[in-house]
Amino acid sequence: MSLFETDKSAARLPVSLITGFLGSGKTTLLNHLLRDDAMKDSAVIINEYGEVSLDHLLVERVDGEVAVLASGCICCTVRSDLEETLRGLLVRRDRGEVPPFRRILIETTGLADPAPIVQLLLNNPLVSHFLRLDAVVTTVDAVNAAHQLDRQYEAVKQVALADRLLITKGDLASDSAALEARLRRLNPGAGIERVAHGRIDSSRLFGAGLIDPEKKTVDVARWLNERAFVRSREAEHAHAGQANDHNHHHHDASIASFMLAFDEPLDWMAVSNWLAHLRSGRGEDLLRVKGILNLRGEPMPVAVHGVHHVFHPPVALSRWPDADRRSRIVFITRNIAREEVLALWHAVRAAA
């Protein structure tokens, strides 16, 4: 009998975050999405209607907080806090007070840290029972991003936590290739798209979670994007000892993105103690962790996912997706090197 609950993510509504620094094109992207027929069964949460130009889309105000748009989308503003807004929206749907919806989009403010929203979706039982994190989408301004990433840690963190990175305003930038390379160093696992005027196929934007939204099955390869971390590691070795043009970027130098893989089945108590030590001692610098574990005594893989101090309760998946039985864990950290994480693992395992 498994120690872990089975994963019920496929039955929960997907929630995606749209984040990005001030002026990076979040509202333009959202307006394009709200015109897309494929998104008409969406609920959208924004901070204020005034920040998003919805007048041409607005059909009916249900009340001061909720509007039904011409596309059929539901749009509402954040009340006192996001948890209350999410729960209220689900109650209204169940009562038939608003049209049914199958996904939720949340647009953050330009200076927002997306981590607390991810934490809410990972480990707040009043929310995570009904909802699951689908994707963190970050818009990146090709014209101003270099300046923002140099000076604003919020901008760096929005990139580091992303599943999808959208480079906007590329038509106004002389060369965005250097920016794309910089983004890949900060977050190798995120997919990168170039977007003009917010236009992108929604099927390329969402569905970055562990669950394949179409097949309702796990997609470990897409979720972890292991190949990207392998390429990043190879590039790091190839350039070792050379002068890198990004060394002067203080924030970049502090961010590490890496994957650890283990061939033999792991002991859960050792893994649990390892992650607990990381969370308690370096939680603020543990930006994102996600992984698939092969544990001794467990017939099926176990998924772990966390941001800072907050982790989703580990869940047993229904099956192994392929013949690969290795444990693989992705880390995105600030001022925590790969070697430090590995050294702690060896120390905890030796103590166990």
Side-chain angles (χ1 to χ4, degrees):
M1 183 175 177
S2 176
L3 295 170
F4 306 97
E5 288 188 8
T6 55
D7 184 40
K8 301 179 178 66
S9 297
R12 296 168 179 161
L13 283 182
V15 181
S16 296
L17 272 61
I18 299 176
T19 188
F21 208 68
L22 297 166
S24 62
K26 296 186 301 298
T27 300
T28 303
L29 172 67
L30 185 58
N31 271 278
H32 171 75
L33 292 172
L34 293 178
R35 294 185 179 93
D36 186 344
D37 285 343
M39 303 299 292
K40 62 185 178 183
D41 51 1
S42 302
V44 184
I45 297 175
I46 58 178
N47 285 280
E48 295 291 342
Y49 286 125
E51 295 179 10
V52 181
S53 302
L54 294 175
D55 292 343
H56 59 295
L57 297 168
L58 190 60
V59 171
E60 178 188 0
R61 285 285 181 98
V62 178
D63 57 28
E65 296 162 345
V66 179
V68 180
L69 308 182
S71 61
C73 296
I74 311 301
C75 191
C76 70
T77 55
V78 177
R79 291 199 288 267
S80 58
D81 61 50
L82 182 59
E83 178 188 341
E84 180 184 346
T85 299
L86 287 167
R87 291 170 59 194
L89 200 52
L90 292 171
V91 168
R92 290 174 187 229
R93 183 197 61 172
D94 293 343
R95 289 176 179 170
E97 295 174 1
V98 297
F101 50 87
R102 295 196 305 164
R103 72 182 63 79
I104 298 175
L105 310 180
I106 301 172
E107 184 191 14
T108 72
T109 63
L111 291 172
D113 178 353
I117 302 177
V118 176
Q119 291 172 335
L120 175 72
L121 296 169
L122 289 180
N123 204 22
N124 182 310
L126 295 176
V127 172
S128 60
H129 181 76
F130 305 99
L131 307 173
R132 63 177 170 85
L133 178 65
D134 176 70
V136 178
V137 177
T138 299
T139 52
V140 182
D141 179 348
V143 177
N144 298 303
H147 175 85
Q148 293 163 351
L149 291 169
D150 285 351
R151 290 164 175 78
Q152 301 288 341
Y153 176 59
E154 295 89 349
V156 175
K157 193 169 183 183
Q158 289 167 356
V159 168
L161 265 65
D163 299 297
R164 304 277 193 261
L165 292 167
L166 305 185
I167 298 178
T168 64
K169 305 181 186 178
D171 55 325
L172 302 177
S174 56
D175 178 19
S176 57
L179 172 61
E180 181 171 337
R182 185 174 181 182
L183 297 178
R184 291 195 188 282
R185 287 192 296 267
L186 286 169
N187 186 348
I192 298 179
E193 300 274 357
R194 295 172 183 268
V195 178
H197 309 295
R199 292 192 295 270
I200 185 171
D201 187 335
S202 58
S203 65
R204 299 175 64 82
L205 197 57
F206 304 116
L210 182 58
I211 299 298
D212 184 314
E214 299 298 325
K215 300 177 182 176
K216 302 295 183 182
T217 57
V218 298
D219 190 336
V220 172
R222 182 194 60 194
W223 189 52
L224 294 182
N225 199 1
E226 177 181 352
R227 291 180 181 178
F229 286 91
V230 171
R231 288 194 298 268
S232 176
R233 185 78 170 153
E234 290 171 348
E236 182 182 320
H237 286 156
H239 292 91
Q242 297 181 15
N244 291 318
D245 60 1
H246 61 283
N247 281 343
H248 66 282
H249 301 308
H250 168 71
H251 294 309
D252 293 34
S254 71
I255 303 296
S257 302
F258 54 89
M259 188 196 73
L260 301 180
F262 304 90
D263 294 329
E264 298 299 321
L266 304 177
D267 176 74
W268 170 242
M269 288 306 299
V271 173
S272 179
N273 288 338
W274 176 43
L275 296 178
H277 276 85
L278 282 170
R279 292 200 308 270
S280 63
R282 302 297 304 275
E284 273 306 305
D285 294 324
L286 206 59
L287 301 186
R288 196 169 184 182
V289 178
K290 54 184 177 178
I292 299 296
L293 306 177
N294 181 357
L295 300 176
R296 286 202 291 268
E298 291 292 330
M300 298 302 168
V302 172
V304 294
H305 190 190
V307 171
H308 290 314
H309 307 85
V310 177
F311 272 57
H312 190 289
V315 292
L317 305 180
S318 60
R319 63 182 178 86
W320 284 96
D322 52 39
D324 192 345
R325 298 294 191 268
R326 294 173 305 143
S327 296
R328 287 151 284 167
I329 311 177
V330 166
F331 291 87
I332 300 179
T333 65
R334 179 178 66 166
N335 295 320
I336 308 177
R338 173 193 180 96
E339 292 72 23
E340 183 179 344
V341 175
L342 261 179
L344 180 59
W345 164 247
H346 292 309
V348 168
R349 187 176 60 173

